[in-house]
Amino acid sequence: MSIPITRSTQPKPQPNPAQLGFGKYFTDHMFVMENDVEKGWLPGQIVPYAPITLDPAAMVLHYGQEVFEGLKAYRRPDGRAQLFRPQDNIKRFNRSCVRLSVPEIDQEYFLNAMKQLVITDIDWLPSQPEASLYIRPYLVASDPFLGVRRSERYIFIIILSPVGAYYPGGITPTKILIEGEDVRAASGGLGSVKAGANYAATLRAQTRASQKGFAQVMWLDSHERKYVEEVGTSNAFFVIDDKVVTPSLTDTILPGITRDSCIQLLRKWGLEVQERAVSIDEVWETHENGKLSECFATGTAAVVSPVGELFYRDKSIKIGNNEVGPVARRLYDALTDIQWGRKPDDMGWTITL
Ligand SMILES: *Cc1c(COP(=O)(O)O)cnc(C)c1O
């Protein structure tokens, strides 16, 4: 199944590999495919990266019918490219589509489009340590109509962005503010799917937190503001009494693929993992009696991000002496070794291109 390609006649200069950052640069090509209520998905194509044309009345601009995914292509030591669990991102994308009443995409076709796009722009895949090519598939409602209903037309796009090492100076713990007012997601809403609408609701709290010098906010449940949900756009983990504890997957928590990978590795190593509700009171109490040894967040961007300090109202606690704990360190090393192909992948998680 080969996808038609129109090659760019004006390739862009490549950015300085030392200054990639996250999500600032985009490659020379993109994948585009359109859907029409009568014809379904029309054949897609790879075209030069360029602005898209949307009618000013396009429904996504008014009612936010949009879903997206985020994953990475990695450069192996032998120079080849590989993807990490891409089928899981595709399945999650389709679950998001169902929740947003958007047409799903054939899994095999989706994977093939992603692979061919990465191969087309393979020169953009960085080779310096811990850098990668971020893949952003997304789908928007393009129907020009101002009534509130599901759209009858959609555009599906995949773009690529070379990204630098998340921790240029090595992995370091962050300061996190527990948000007691705004919530990320409420039960029955969109919290367990990757829909753009979720993130709009988080920006006020995130802005307040960063103005006060925090890296991210920790979200609490919408009902009682009592239970931990997520950290920024990552899943939350704690090490309490030598057991690894993470909030169970409810309809307000995004089922992270990094979260699942961590749970699988921990269980393989013989460590106990509990998926259950974790209250803020429990976090404070276990800190006081010396049983809380680690807190960290997991997601595609940072892989594992240790939390060194937690602030809530006017109280704060330091976790693990503000150092990277052994569980976070072991997970970070094991996952990045598999993702960048430095060690054999005995979990069957990677696809080499
Ligand atoms: C994407 C995302 C995550 C992490 O998912 P991964 O598949 O591990 O990248 C966690 N929480 C939220 C809210 C997210 O959007």
Side-chain angles (χ1 to χ4, degrees):
M1 225 187 344
S2 174
I3 289 169
I5 302 185
T6 308
R7 285 195 183 269
S8 165
T9 51
Q10 288 164 308
K12 293 179 264 197
Q14 296 246 349
N16 176 347
Q19 282 161 9
L20 288 177
F22 181 83
K24 293 191 288 181
Y25 301 101
F26 303 96
T27 65
D28 286 321
H29 298 86
M30 60 186 190
F31 173 82
V32 181
M33 176 164 80
E34 295 193 38
N35 183 288
D36 173 291
V37 71
E38 267 133 44
K39 304 191 200 94
W41 285 111
L42 305 167
Q45 44 179 323
I46 293 172
V47 295
Y49 185 97
I52 55 168
T53 304
L54 277 181
D55 192 288
M59 292 182 79
V60 66
L61 302 176
H62 304 274
Y63 308 124
Q65 208 186 3
E66 189 261 6
V67 305
F68 69 95
E69 264 304 325
L71 67 160
K72 287 170 168 178
Y74 305 84
R75 179 84 73 182
R76 296 159 28 120
D78 64 7
R80 295 173 71 190
Q82 69 180 17
L83 303 178
F84 181 75
R85 304 186 65 179
Q87 294 99 329
D88 293 283
N89 291 90
I90 294 172
K91 285 188 195 136
R92 189 169 68 189
F93 186 91
N94 279 334
R95 285 200 303 272
S96 303
C97 288
V98 170
R99 179 63 186 83
L100 275 279
S101 288
V102 166
E104 293 166 74
I105 295 177
D106 179 79
Q107 278 189 46
E108 222 176 300
Y109 185 84
F110 191 150
L111 181 60
N112 187 36
M114 211 149 63
K115 285 183 179 172
Q116 289 198 35
L117 182 63
V118 171
I119 290 167
T120 305
D121 279 335
I122 197 74
D123 290 347
W124 288 81
L125 176 62
S127 5
Q128 68 274 26
E130 319 281 280
S132 57
L133 189 62
Y134 186 79
I135 306 173
R136 167 55 58 88
Y138 67 104
L139 194 166
V140 298
S142 53
D143 208 358
F145 182 62
L146 293 184
V148 179
R149 59 146 165 80
R150 72 186 292 266
S151 175
E152 298 191 338
R153 260 159 283 208
Y154 299 92
I155 308 178
F156 171 71
I157 296 176
I158 309 176
I159 54 175
L160 306 174
S161 173
V163 300
Y166 195 89
Y167 299 104
I171 130 173
T172 43
T174 56
K175 258 171 74 171
I176 300 290
L177 179 66
I178 299 172
E179 171 63 38
E181 189 186 334
D182 289 359
V183 293
R184 193 190 81 86
S187 182
L190 305 175
S192 64
V193 300
K194 265 184 137 65
N198 283 330
Y199 305 83
T202 66
L203 301 177
R204 180 170 74 174
Q206 201 200 74
T207 307
R208 279 194 302 238
S210 65
Q211 281 165 351
K212 291 184 200 151
F214 295 96
Q216 269 302 346
V217 299
M218 179 176 275
W219 298 106
L220 301 181
D221 73 286
S222 64
H223 191 55
E224 297 179 78
R225 307 285 193 284
K226 185 172 169 190
Y227 297 99
V228 175
E229 298 233 306
E230 302 205 40
V231 180
T233 57
S234 320
N235 294 109
F237 282 79
F238 299 88
V239 181
I240 299 172
D241 216 2
D242 294 329
K243 293 169 199 78
V244 184
V245 185
T246 185
S248 29
L249 294 179
T250 62
D251 72 348
T252 56
I253 292 182
L254 199 285
I257 293 160
T258 319
R259 174 190 182 277
D260 181 72
S261 306
C262 288
I263 294 174
Q264 288 195 43
L265 285 174
L266 291 162
R267 291 195 171 137
K268 193 178 84 156
W269 297 335
L271 289 162
E272 184 176 338
V273 182
Q274 297 177 346
E275 295 179 71
R276 61 166 173 83
V278 185
S279 71
I280 275 303
D281 292 343
E282 178 181 357
V283 172
W284 248 252
E285 273 162 36
T286 54
H287 174 262
E288 257 155 45
N289 62 27
K291 288 186 171 163
L292 175 69
S293 52
E294 291 185 49
C295 172
F296 54 89
T298 67
T300 296
V303 191
V304 174
S305 173
V307 176
E309 289 181 65
L310 272 179
F311 287 71
Y312 189 43
R313 307 222 159 107
D314 45 14
K315 286 187 273 177
S316 85
I317 55 174
K318 270 209 169 57
I319 303 171
N321 217 10
N322 204 15
E323 285 163 13
V324 183
V327 176
R329 165 64 63 190
R330 189 171 177 198
L331 283 170
Y332 180 83
D333 290 344
L335 273 172
T336 56
D337 280 346
I338 295 174
Q339 288 167 333
W340 273 271
R342 293 187 294 254
K343 296 241 173 94
D345 167 21
D346 48 11
M347 305 301 281
W349 282 338
T350 52
I351 295 185
T352 307
L353 303 187

